[in-house]
Amino acid sequence: MPYDNATNAPDPAPTPGYRALLGNREFAGLYAGFTLTVAASTLSGFALGTLVDRSTGSPFLTAVSMYGATFATVLGATTLMSVADGDRPRRTLVALQFVALAGACAQAVPGLPLAARFGLLLLLGFFQSLNTGTRMGLLAEVVPASAYVPARSLMNITAGGTAVLGFTLGALLLRHLTPQGLFLTAAALTAAGLAVTAATVRERSVRPPRRPGLRETWTTNAALLSRSGPRALLLNLWVPNGLIVGCEALFIPYAQDHAGVLLAAASAGMLLGDLTVGRLLTAAWRRRSAFALRLLLAAPYLLFALHPSTPVAAVAVFLASAGFAATLPLQERLFALTPEQVRGQVQGVESAGRMTWQGIGAALAGGTAQFLSPATTITALAALSVAVTVLSRPSVERTGPCPSRHAHHDGDGATERRRRCRRTRLGCAHERHRR
């Protein structure tokens, strides 16, 4: 029997490729619906930003209109995220897609006051976090455990590529359409995503009945954050990532006319990192590379202390952006620590927290750059990201999946492991499933 050299344990099931994943009808439906939703969200954000800029001329309001929805996602994570693990996840996902469709149509109404548009933005950001949690919970059920990382990798790659294409397409369409026309285009894409999801994803009947709500969400979140392992993983998924997004937010004031080169380099590096880690590395190598990738995410930005030329800065940004792939091994560890019954909520909390910290990082960078130069601010944020990664490494390294079902053999040691697994709601998924 082949063995995993990193753990001296039997190798897990072979990791399927992207083509095999797309051969799974339900995953293909989730993936297509996700892609269309990202495209619609990108076009809608671009249209709203353009509309606000033309109406107010305020860079601050324009930025908030394009990225302010990320702050609303934390509200979903802390209030109703437990709906992601309800016993009718397909119905929940379709209903949330209907909400997104209604919001896109409402934004297309001519003459709608800006206050109403911002209200819709926050409302849709709230429901978007629930949508993400429900979709990720379903993802964990429609693909085997060995396919989880490549599935997340494919979705990450697609999200980044679709966002870039969406902004490009939005700029081209605005030559012929009004912002309201872009909103209608986004509504059409949302409707297509809804139809694909409804036609391909089946209802999951294996989940136990739950009563989602504020209390259920708080109870599970409290159990999640009370454990040092998941807490360390979430810290590393949120904070270093958000600080580096803050660095990217300063590309325009740093490089001005050449900012597009840096943004393109960041997108290319992110694509390469996700493709390499998600498709080419084994589980053992993903575990080994997690810390190095988190360092890579920030270390090249320290070169900005020397005010590098645009070509040198672009190479540094490209290398650093490959480090965003550190989210994959960290998500894999968090997934292994999470019982099946709350996987949607935990993944929704992780996603919402990561998006919120990206907004915090951009705001922190912009505020600091009011007093320091862009290059100094970028260097300081990168140094802070490195510090968080290094200081939290011992806690992250202590995390690991619960003992497998095969490890629960007879004896005092196995009894004690079962007792430890029962102590918390986010204990060992294997034992909970067997009970």
mmCIF file with all atom_site columns, all heavy atoms in Angstrom, residues 39 56 87 190 319 323 354 375 383 427:
data_model
loop_
_atom_site.group_PDB
_atom_site.id
_atom_site.type_symbol
_atom_site.label_atom_id
_atom_site.label_alt_id
_atom_site.label_comp_id
_atom_site.label_asym_id
_atom_site.label_entity_id
_atom_site.label_seq_id
_atom_site.pdbx_PDB_ins_code
_atom_site.Cartn_x
_atom_site.Cartn_y
_atom_site.Cartn_z
_atom_site.occupancy
_atom_site.B_iso_or_equiv
_atom_site.pdbx_formal_charge
_atom_site.auth_seq_id
_atom_site.auth_comp_id
_atom_site.auth_asym_id
_atom_site.auth_atom_id
_atom_site.pdbx_PDB_model_num
ATOM 1  N N   . ALA A 1 39  ? -19.689 36.999 -12.229 1.00 0.00 ? 39  ALA A N   1
ATOM 2  C CA  . ALA A 1 39  ? -19.734 37.920 -13.373 1.00 0.00 ? 39  ALA A CA  1
ATOM 3  C C   . ALA A 1 39  ? -20.804 38.984 -13.166 1.00 0.00 ? 39  ALA A C   1
ATOM 4  O O   . ALA A 1 39  ? -20.579 40.182 -13.421 1.00 0.00 ? 39  ALA A O   1
ATOM 5  C CB  . ALA A 1 39  ? -20.015 37.131 -14.656 1.00 0.00 ? 39  ALA A CB  1
ATOM 6  N N   . THR A 1 56  ? -21.638 62.067 -8.165  1.00 0.00 ? 56  THR A N   1
ATOM 7  C CA  . THR A 1 56  ? -21.051 62.783 -7.028  1.00 0.00 ? 56  THR A CA  1
ATOM 8  C C   . THR A 1 56  ? -19.632 63.269 -7.272  1.00 0.00 ? 56  THR A C   1
ATOM 9  O O   . THR A 1 56  ? -19.201 64.244 -6.651  1.00 0.00 ? 56  THR A O   1
ATOM 10 C CB  . THR A 1 56  ? -21.043 61.881 -5.789  1.00 0.00 ? 56  THR A CB  1
ATOM 11 O OG1 . THR A 1 56  ? -20.122 60.789 -5.988  1.00 0.00 ? 56  THR A OG1 1
ATOM 12 C CG2 . THR A 1 56  ? -22.435 61.309 -5.522  1.00 0.00 ? 56  THR A CG2 1
ATOM 13 N N   . ASP A 1 87  ? -31.718 21.832 6.434   1.00 0.00 ? 87  ASP A N   1
ATOM 14 C CA  . ASP A 1 87  ? -31.960 20.525 5.825   1.00 0.00 ? 87  ASP A CA  1
ATOM 15 C C   . ASP A 1 87  ? -32.481 20.621 4.399   1.00 0.00 ? 87  ASP A C   1
ATOM 16 O O   . ASP A 1 87  ? -32.741 19.607 3.774   1.00 0.00 ? 87  ASP A O   1
ATOM 17 C CB  . ASP A 1 87  ? -32.929 19.707 6.688   1.00 0.00 ? 87  ASP A CB  1
ATOM 18 C CG  . ASP A 1 87  ? -34.262 20.415 6.895   1.00 0.00 ? 87  ASP A CG  1
ATOM 19 O OD1 . ASP A 1 87  ? -34.326 21.623 6.626   1.00 0.00 ? 87  ASP A OD1 1
ATOM 20 O OD2 . ASP A 1 87  ? -35.228 19.756 7.326   1.00 0.00 ? 87  ASP A OD2 1
ATOM 21 N N   . THR A 1 190 ? -27.501 36.845 -13.542 1.00 0.00 ? 190 THR A N   1
ATOM 22 C CA  . THR A 1 190 ? -27.987 36.271 -12.289 1.00 0.00 ? 190 THR A CA  1
ATOM 23 C C   . THR A 1 190 ? -29.119 35.283 -12.552 1.00 0.00 ? 190 THR A C   1
ATOM 24 O O   . THR A 1 190 ? -29.180 34.209 -11.940 1.00 0.00 ? 190 THR A O   1
ATOM 25 C CB  . THR A 1 190 ? -28.469 37.390 -11.344 1.00 0.00 ? 190 THR A CB  1
ATOM 26 O OG1 . THR A 1 190 ? -27.405 38.322 -11.120 1.00 0.00 ? 190 THR A OG1 1
ATOM 27 C CG2 . THR A 1 190 ? -28.925 36.822 -10.011 1.00 0.00 ? 190 THR A CG2 1
ATOM 28 N N   . LEU A 1 319 ? 5.241   37.482 -7.758  1.00 0.00 ? 319 LEU A N   1
ATOM 29 C CA  . LEU A 1 319 ? 5.667   36.433 -6.830  1.00 0.00 ? 319 LEU A CA  1
ATOM 30 C C   . LEU A 1 319 ? 4.808   36.430 -5.570  1.00 0.00 ? 319 LEU A C   1
ATOM 31 O O   . LEU A 1 319 ? 4.385   35.374 -5.085  1.00 0.00 ? 319 LEU A O   1
ATOM 32 C CB  . LEU A 1 319 ? 7.139   36.627 -6.470  1.00 0.00 ? 319 LEU A CB  1
ATOM 33 C CG  . LEU A 1 319 ? 8.153   36.428 -7.609  1.00 0.00 ? 319 LEU A CG  1
ATOM 34 C CD1 . LEU A 1 319 ? 9.552   36.795 -7.140  1.00 0.00 ? 319 LEU A CD1 1
ATOM 35 C CD2 . LEU A 1 319 ? 8.123   34.987 -8.094  1.00 0.00 ? 319 LEU A CD2 1
ATOM 36 N N   . GLY A 1 323 ? 1.374   33.718 -3.450  1.00 0.00 ? 323 GLY A N   1
ATOM 37 C CA  . GLY A 1 323 ? 1.193   33.318 -2.059  1.00 0.00 ? 323 GLY A CA  1
ATOM 38 C C   . GLY A 1 323 ? -0.245  33.329 -1.594  1.00 0.00 ? 323 GLY A C   1
ATOM 39 O O   . GLY A 1 323 ? -0.554  32.773 -0.522  1.00 0.00 ? 323 GLY A O   1
ATOM 40 N N   . ARG A 1 354 ? -12.819 36.774 5.501   1.00 0.00 ? 354 ARG A N   1
ATOM 41 C CA  . ARG A 1 354 ? -11.730 37.106 4.571   1.00 0.00 ? 354 ARG A CA  1
ATOM 42 C C   . ARG A 1 354 ? -12.083 38.330 3.733   1.00 0.00 ? 354 ARG A C   1
ATOM 43 O O   . ARG A 1 354 ? -11.251 39.224 3.525   1.00 0.00 ? 354 ARG A O   1
ATOM 44 C CB  . ARG A 1 354 ? -11.454 35.879 3.687   1.00 0.00 ? 354 ARG A CB  1
ATOM 45 C CG  . ARG A 1 354 ? -10.257 36.002 2.777   1.00 0.00 ? 354 ARG A CG  1
ATOM 46 C CD  . ARG A 1 354 ? -9.691  34.617 2.433   1.00 0.00 ? 354 ARG A CD  1
ATOM 47 N NE  . ARG A 1 354 ? -10.712 33.608 2.303   1.00 0.00 ? 354 ARG A NE  1
ATOM 48 C CZ  . ARG A 1 354 ? -11.372 33.352 1.164   1.00 0.00 ? 354 ARG A CZ  1
ATOM 49 N NH1 . ARG A 1 354 ? -11.128 34.064 0.080   1.00 0.00 ? 354 ARG A NH1 1
ATOM 50 N NH2 . ARG A 1 354 ? -12.275 32.392 1.122   1.00 0.00 ? 354 ARG A NH2 1
ATOM 51 N N   . ALA A 1 375 ? 4.716   53.942 -0.816  1.00 0.00 ? 375 ALA A N   1
ATOM 52 C CA  . ALA A 1 375 ? 5.746   52.904 -0.705  1.00 0.00 ? 375 ALA A CA  1
ATOM 53 C C   . ALA A 1 375 ? 5.994   52.534 0.753   1.00 0.00 ? 375 ALA A C   1
ATOM 54 O O   . ALA A 1 375 ? 6.131   51.346 1.095   1.00 0.00 ? 375 ALA A O   1
ATOM 55 C CB  . ALA A 1 375 ? 7.046   53.392 -1.345  1.00 0.00 ? 375 ALA A CB  1
ATOM 56 N N   . ALA A 1 383 ? 5.278   44.111 6.325   1.00 0.00 ? 383 ALA A N   1
ATOM 57 C CA  . ALA A 1 383 ? 5.995   43.697 7.529   1.00 0.00 ? 383 ALA A CA  1
ATOM 58 C C   . ALA A 1 383 ? 5.032   43.201 8.596   1.00 0.00 ? 383 ALA A C   1
ATOM 59 O O   . ALA A 1 383 ? 5.300   42.211 9.296   1.00 0.00 ? 383 ALA A O   1
ATOM 60 C CB  . ALA A 1 383 ? 6.824   44.868 8.069   1.00 0.00 ? 383 ALA A CB  1
ATOM 61 N N   . GLY A 1 427 ? -16.269 19.309 17.594  1.00 0.00 ? 427 GLY A N   1
ATOM 62 C CA  . GLY A 1 427 ? -15.334 18.224 17.834  1.00 0.00 ? 427 GLY A CA  1
ATOM 63 C C   . GLY A 1 427 ? -15.190 17.348 16.617  1.00 0.00 ? 427 GLY A C   1
ATOM 64 O O   . GLY A 1 427 ? -15.386 17.776 15.495  1.00 0.00 ? 427 GLY A O   1
#
